[in-house]
Amino acid sequence: MKKVLVATEKPFAPIAVDGIRNVLDKAGYELVLLEKYTSPEQWKEASKGVDAMIIRSDKATADIIEAADNLKIIVRAGAGYDNIDLEACTRNDVVAMNTPGQNSNAVAELAFGMMLYLVRKGFNGSSGTELRGKKLGIHAYGNVGKFVAAIARGFGMELFAFDPFVDKGDMVNDGITPFDTVEELYKTCDYISLHIPANEKTKKSINFDLLSLMPKNGTLVNTARKEVIDEEGLVRLMQERQDFNYLSDIAPDCREILEEKYPGRVVFTAKKMGAQTAEANINAGIAAATQIVNFLEKGDKTFQVN
Ligand code: 3PG
């Protein structure tokens, strides 16, 4: 019987685990569940003999991939796969996949939840401002960016985007003004919602010079990855621009400094929770399980990333 390990330090909603089990049961596979593990050793131990793994932001290092002595496929139930050592996967004949789009709406909704929390002063009873009529810049118009745009239209925001990989005509059809350069986006928009992946090109690319271009009361909303921010530059900007705000679902290493020095200008979630909804977990978990069955039974490699 084929074995599929679900290794999630931050567990899926129980209903999503039921959904995964259901897909695997139908295929005649066994589900092995490892939730809230506290060390890589525990994960390595659980991965012995399994044919497939489903993970979230769990760091699938070369050590982990190598310890899984019978592994054929690893699926990141989510979009970003910067947590998987893809070279180690390829070296060990392991197919790596993601499940693009499955948790995008949840992330987009959280971006607006954070914006509202900021402009309504943490719901503390004092007078705030509105999102309507403000300029929103979508930095990368992929799956999450599209949901952000749809929600922003409901709020009556003016929409702009920068994404060199997306056809400008498609953006225009969605009621968005596309820019040729990232600088134009930051210069124009009151709010920037970040949706770029973390890779060698993007790491630390959101830096002091770029953020300085934002207009008065500019707000950066980061539901992407903390690695894309140049934290030194961010700290300097928060200091020099007392009107600038930073909201993030992936708290920076300098979280304590920012929270202490700039209350009311920063909002950080307790733990990365953009995709932490029952719906997102069900969508991504079931997609991951289905992709595993399709690969192991039919060799289907759709969504392979290595
Ligand atoms: C993603 O890349 O899909 C999101 O960042 C969600 O990550 P999570 O599964 O750890 O919540």
Side-chain angles (χ1 to χ4, degrees):
M1 186 187 246
K2 292 196 174 82
K3 285 187 186 175
V4 179
L5 172 68
V6 173
T8 47
E9 187 272 323
K10 180 177 63 183
F12 288 119
I15 194 172
V17 177
D18 291 345
I20 293 170
R21 187 177 284 110
N22 195 26
V23 172
L24 300 180
D25 277 354
K26 279 194 189 131
Y29 293 7
E30 184 188 340
L31 166 69
V32 183
L33 196 56
L34 177 72
E35 293 182 324
K36 296 186 187 171
Y37 57 88
T38 49
S39 71
E41 277 58 46
Q42 244 182 305
W43 181 1
K44 281 188 209 165
E45 196 49 44
S47 65
K48 296 224 169 76
V50 304
D51 298 88
M53 289 204 276
I54 296 175
I55 60 168
R56 296 185 63 183
S57 289
D58 308 84
K59 290 209 180 327
T61 58
D63 264 13
I64 299 280
I65 301 294
E66 274 146 29
D69 49 3
N70 194 35
L71 190 66
K72 293 156 193 93
I73 174 167
I74 179 166
V75 182
R76 195 282 190 242
Y81 45 88
D82 46 307
N83 52 322
I84 304 181
D85 187 329
L86 294 181
E87 280 172 21
C89 288
T90 305
R91 259 197 329 271
N92 290 281
D93 282 329
V94 172
V95 165
M97 291 184 184
N98 65 348
T99 65
Q102 301 292 346
N103 57 19
S104 305
N105 181 62
V107 178
E109 286 190 13
L110 185 78
F112 284 89
M114 296 182 87
M115 283 188 247
L116 287 175
Y117 189 86
L118 177 88
V119 298
R120 292 306 185 98
K121 312 274 176 68
F123 311 122
N124 69 1
S126 50
S127 183
T129 55
E130 300 182 20
L131 296 179
R132 188 173 192 81
K134 304 294 187 308
K135 295 183 167 77
L136 174 68
I138 303 172
H139 189 167
Y141 195 59
N143 290 312
V144 184
K146 287 187 182 118
F147 278 105
V148 165
I151 298 170
R153 278 193 285 274
F155 275 102
M157 299 182 88
E158 232 184 297
L159 288 174
F160 303 84
F162 171 73
D163 193 328
F165 304 105
V166 174
D167 188 88
K168 288 206 182 68
D170 291 346
M171 297 195 215
V172 171
N173 287 341
D174 290 349
I176 292 166
T177 304
F179 282 124
D180 288 328
T181 66
V182 70
E183 285 79 13
E184 284 172 285
L185 186 78
Y186 280 68
K187 217 180 200 164
T188 305
C189 296
D190 305 300
Y191 294 85
I192 296 283
S193 194
L194 258 185
H195 304 293
I196 54 176
N199 57 40
E200 285 322 306
K201 279 200 181 134
T202 61
K203 277 182 190 160
K204 295 195 179 195
S205 63
I206 310 303
N207 55 27
F208 179 84
D209 289 346
L210 188 61
L211 293 173
S212 309
L213 298 174
M214 287 191 77
K216 190 162 163 34
N217 296 324
T219 298
L220 178 68
V221 189
N222 183 5
T223 53
R225 290 290 181 269
K226 85 172 175 183
E227 291 80 5
V228 301
I229 307 291
D230 176 2
E231 289 198 16
E232 257 176 54
L234 174 69
V235 171
R236 186 176 149 208
L237 190 81
M238 294 293 297
Q239 167 70 33
E240 291 184 16
R241 285 265 311 265
Q242 293 295 320
D243 60 292
F244 182 83
N245 309 294
Y246 182 53
L247 318 179
S248 182
D249 185 31
I250 330 89
D253 295 335
C254 57
R255 171 183 198 144
E256 278 172 25
I257 303 174
L258 296 183
E259 280 178 336
E260 196 190 304
K261 284 190 165 171
Y262 310 116
R265 290 174 50 205
V266 293
V267 178
F268 303 125
T269 49
K271 194 171 199 178
K272 185 176 168 208
M273 54 175 291
Q276 199 65 333
T277 65
E279 293 89 338
N281 289 172
I282 291 168
N283 293 345
I286 290 180
T290 306
Q291 287 171 218
I292 285 171
V293 174
N294 287 344
F295 171 70
L296 292 177
E297 298 303 318
K298 300 183 245 169
D300 183 348
K301 292 186 180 173
T302 310
F303 302 127
Q304 180 172 6
V305 293
N306 67 329

